[in-house]
Amino acid sequence: MNAAWIDTAKNLKPHLFRTQKLPVAVSTRLPCSNTFQGWKMDLLRDLGVEETFILETSCDLILEFKNLTVGYVRFEVCSFEGILDSPIHIEIVAGERPLEIAQPFDPHEGILSRTWLQDETITIDRLPFFVCVQRRLAFVYLKLRLNDCGPQSKVLIRNLRCDEVSSVPNVDDSFLDKTIPKWMQQLCEVSLRTLRLCMQDVFEDGPKRDRRLWLGDLRLQALANSVSFKNYDLVKRCLYLFAGFQREDGTVPACIYDKSDFQAGGEFILDYSVLFGSTLLDYTLHSGDESAARQLWPVACEQIRFALQFLDESNVFQDPGNLWIFIDWNDRLHKQSAMHAILIYGISQVIELANLLGKEVPEFIVHRDCMRRAAREHLRDRKTACYFSGPDRQISWATQAWMILADVSEGQEAHDLWKALELTSENAILPNSPYLYHFVVEAMIKSNQISLARDLLQNYWGGMISNGATTFWEVYNPSDPMLSPYGNAMVNSYCHAWSCTPIYFIHKYPQLVSEG
């Protein structure tokens, strides 16, 4: 652990802004087979300011907020009639999606802890009583239920609100370009909200779950931040945290826990590690701060050198089998060739950073060029013209996208690769997460497939909005609404950092707008 670097990160701790949010409607849940995940909220009535609610025994009060909010819920419970004869229980359930409000949490299924689901029971033995939920919640819907109340069958709920928290102020219209098409404005608005609510003491992956700083998420958040809030100190803080917790072999952890004091997670993800140098390069280019890059430069190089040990005699990456290679949430995806391309890309980014800092890395240049030739010779299917992975010669969007980003496939070949992929579409493995779809869009733009990139932004991220999203989600497969990497869609994160990049693409690449 590098204490000096961690101290640098601690000194960059941001101020958290608080914004008061009030519910806008009282709603009820309804099963609906035509809606995503099978439930919808039906409006009972709109709300004015500072309304008082009657909470009755065993009856749900479902309050709806305008957009997903992240913060601390507080309200006052008052007597409605009679004397409080015995303690009462008020159950609070918060949900990002109607599914979490409509279905019971128990029995809990899935591989993650039941405690990630957002419910609390408050015991009250005197009235009036002021409730301030200590747990920070992430939600659109808030359900209150009066249980075990004895003869006290009703109580009043007053002054209910949420103190929303973020390290950047509330988003206003000044961040939005009103000259772009309406659907692009919507993408930018939801991107901004997603990013802002994930910007806490660090760049969190999701404010409901896991509430951690993940290296892969950080890179995409930093890109979106560079065209919006420009909070470069928060990016710098996160880079120093990863560097400060280098492991004995020189690699950086995949995630950092933001607790009372920082702790490194036990996870190591090879593709995340390789992209540390790319994140550092992006930060340097956007912020102009070369001093941080010079300090952290050796860390970026160590990530590449660690990964290079897994090349075989043909300069092809071989999965050692004992490391987590992420790429996407997809158990069917064979990841060897995508990882080969990511390593090339990571090397290229470190070479660019070296040029910026006036450093020389001849060994990296040799490895990059050898790996590019190896990919063309050993990983390209001459019949389909696509790049494959594994003994079954699997074709995937992940492999094609990363081969383009790594400049293995260039020019007209890269442009035509998408047509070749379309011809193999029956067997090609598609992405499941906005994380991988980000790199697909980036590869489409790089290969001058602007229409494809624009359509993907509109249909994929726009599809989430059509299905009720006010922030973008961790996973989204339009044909599998209940898809979850954890065995339970209720524990999925529906405000997730790695999905916030449509605003980056729309601002970075004006051709997306001009052809729109």
Side-chain angles (χ1 to χ4, degrees):
M1 187 173 73
N2 189 317
W5 286 353
I6 293 175
D7 284 343
T8 296
K10 289 179 177 178
N11 290 334
L12 291 167
K13 182 175 181 178
H15 167 75
L16 291 183
F17 294 87
R18 289 179 174 257
T19 308
Q20 191 176 99
K21 300 290 184 178
L22 301 176
V24 297
V26 177
S27 299
T28 187
R29 58 189 178 274
L30 293 175
C32 183
S33 60
N34 295 326
T35 58
F36 195 77
Q37 297 180 329
W39 292 92
K40 71 174 184 177
M41 288 297 176
D42 194 41
L43 176 70
L44 292 179
R45 65 184 181 91
D46 292 320
L47 292 176
V49 178
E50 304 290 346
E51 289 214 20
T52 297
F53 309 101
I54 300 174
L55 190 60
E56 300 187 57
T57 305
S58 300
C59 293
D60 293 340
L61 171 66
I62 300 175
L63 301 176
E64 185 171 341
F65 286 66
K66 182 179 180 182
N67 299 305
L68 194 142
T69 187
V70 173
Y72 299 93
V73 171
R74 53 192 175 93
F75 56 88
E76 187 179 6
V77 185
C78 301
S79 177
F80 179 75
E81 55 186 15
I83 299 172
L84 185 60
D85 180 74
S86 59
I88 61 174
H89 286 172
I90 294 182
E91 180 185 358
I92 303 169
V93 177
E96 295 179 306
R97 294 284 300 160
L99 176 71
E100 297 165 81
I101 298 298
Q103 295 189 179
F105 288 169
D106 298 303
H108 174 62
E109 298 178 352
I111 62 175
L112 296 185
S113 171
R114 159 70 170 77
T115 56
W116 284 119
L117 299 174
Q118 301 178 111
D119 60 341
E120 306 278 341
T121 298
I122 308 296
T123 300
I124 300 172
D125 58 10
R126 68 180 187 276
L127 295 176
F129 187 83
F130 187 78
V131 174
C132 183
V133 180
Q134 297 301 304
R135 179 182 183 180
R136 195 190 70 195
L137 301 174
F139 63 97
V140 178
Y141 311 102
L142 194 68
K143 180 172 70 175
L144 303 181
R145 186 178 180 89
L146 179 62
N147 293 326
D148 299 330
C149 59
Q152 182 91 16
S153 61
K154 297 179 183 179
V155 294
L156 295 180
I157 304 295
R158 291 178 175 162
N159 302 318
L160 188 143
R161 64 204 62 226
C162 178
D163 292 329
E164 187 178 79
V165 290
S166 170
S167 60
V168 291
N170 199 21
V171 178
D172 58 35
D173 289 346
S174 65
F175 284 96
L176 301 176
D177 182 355
K178 297 299 182 63
T179 66
I180 62 177
K182 184 67 175 178
W183 67 269
M184 287 188 175
Q185 292 181 41
Q186 287 184 309
L187 291 189
C188 289
E189 182 181 354
V190 177
S191 295
L192 281 170
R193 188 177 301 114
T194 305
L195 175 61
R196 176 179 172 270
L197 294 178
C198 292
M199 292 173 71
Q200 300 292 331
D201 283 338
V202 294
F203 280 103
E204 294 183 350
D205 61 332
K208 181 179 80 175
R209 201 225 80 241
D210 301 319
R211 299 183 174 191
R212 273 183 267 175
L213 167 62
W214 286 88
L215 183 51
D217 298 70
L218 170 63
R219 177 160 186 260
L220 301 193
Q221 287 171 290
L223 290 175
N225 174 71
S226 72
V227 298
S228 57
F229 303 120
K230 303 185 188 301
N231 189 340
Y232 298 121
D233 278 352
L234 193 61
V235 182
K236 182 177 180 178
R237 172 176 162 91
C238 296
L239 285 167
Y240 272 93
L241 282 173
F242 282 114
F245 282 105
Q246 266 186 288
R247 307 177 336 156
E248 289 185 3
D249 59 8
T251 59
V252 294
C255 69
I256 304 290
Y257 289 88
D258 176 21
K259 303 297 184 183
S260 57
D261 203 0
F262 292 108
Q263 295 174 291
E267 298 88 345
F268 171 75
I269 301 178
L270 185 60
D271 45 319
Y272 281 16
S273 166
V274 163
L275 293 175
F276 176 86
S278 181
T279 311
L280 182 58
L281 172 64
D282 292 337
Y283 165 76
T284 307
L285 292 173
H286 295 140
S287 70
D289 175 17
E290 287 191 13
S291 63
R294 292 187 185 280
Q295 272 198 316
L296 303 184
W297 159 257
V299 181
C301 293
E302 286 183 78
Q303 310 315 302
I304 299 300
R305 292 193 179 101
F306 177 84
L308 286 172
Q309 68 179 297
F310 303 116
L311 300 185
D312 64 15
E313 64 278 1
S314 299
N315 289 301
V316 174
F317 173 83
Q318 297 295 331
D319 186 346
N322 61 347
L323 295 176
W324 185 1
I325 298 172
F326 176 67
I327 314 294
D328 187 34
W329 279 126
N330 195 327
D331 292 336
R332 296 173 56 212
L333 177 65
H334 194 279
K335 300 175 180 180
Q336 174 196 359
S337 294
M339 186 64 233
H340 181 96
I342 290 171
L343 181 50
I344 298 172
Y345 179 87
I347 295 171
S348 299
Q349 296 277 281
V350 171
I351 292 170
E352 185 177 342
L353 183 59
N355 294 335
L356 183 66
L357 300 177
K359 298 180 179 293
E360 296 183 357
V361 283
E363 74 277 17
F364 286 172
I365 295 173
V366 171
H367 280 298
R368 178 198 63 188
D369 295 345
C370 288
M371 290 184 69
R372 282 177 178 164
R373 286 194 297 271
R376 296 185 187 106
E377 292 173 10
H378 302 292
L379 301 176
R380 191 172 185 232
D381 189 297
R382 304 301 173 189
K383 181 178 179 181
T384 65
C386 290
Y387 291 85
F388 64 85
S389 187
D392 295 332
R393 302 172 74 87
Q394 183 191 84
I395 305 296
S396 69
W397 285 48
T399 298
Q400 313 318 308
W402 277 111
M403 288 295 179
I404 291 170
L405 294 175
D407 291 319
V408 173
S409 184
E410 300 179 275
Q412 190 62 42
E413 179 196 298
H415 184 274
D416 295 342
L417 191 55
W418 299 104
K419 182 64 176 178
L421 183 61
E422 182 183 353
L423 295 174
T424 63
S425 60
E426 284 189 13
N427 299 315
I429 304 297
L430 285 92
N432 274 337
S433 71
Y435 178 76
L436 178 54
Y437 269 117
H438 166 92
F439 297 109
V440 170
V441 172
E442 192 173 348
M444 287 175 171
I445 295 171
K446 185 178 178 68
S447 56
N448 200 33
Q449 288 281 13
I450 305 302
S451 294
L452 288 181
R454 189 180 61 251
D455 289 347
L456 185 52
L457 285 169
Q458 186 168 16
N459 295 329
Y460 186 73
W461 279 269
M464 286 186 252
I465 294 175
S466 297
N467 283 309
T470 61
T471 51
F472 290 128
W473 305 340
E474 177 181 13
V475 291
Y476 174 55
N477 184 332
S479 63
D480 187 0
M482 303 306 287
L483 174 70
S484 174
Y486 320 108
N488 185 347
M490 285 198 286
V491 84
N492 287 1
S493 172
Y494 294 95
C495 175
H496 208 77
W498 68 27
S499 64
C500 70
T501 54
I503 190 171
Y504 168 75
F505 289 121
I506 291 168
H507 279 70
K508 175 75 173 178
Y509 300 102
Q511 60 267 45
L512 287 169
V513 179
S514 62
E515 293 193 16

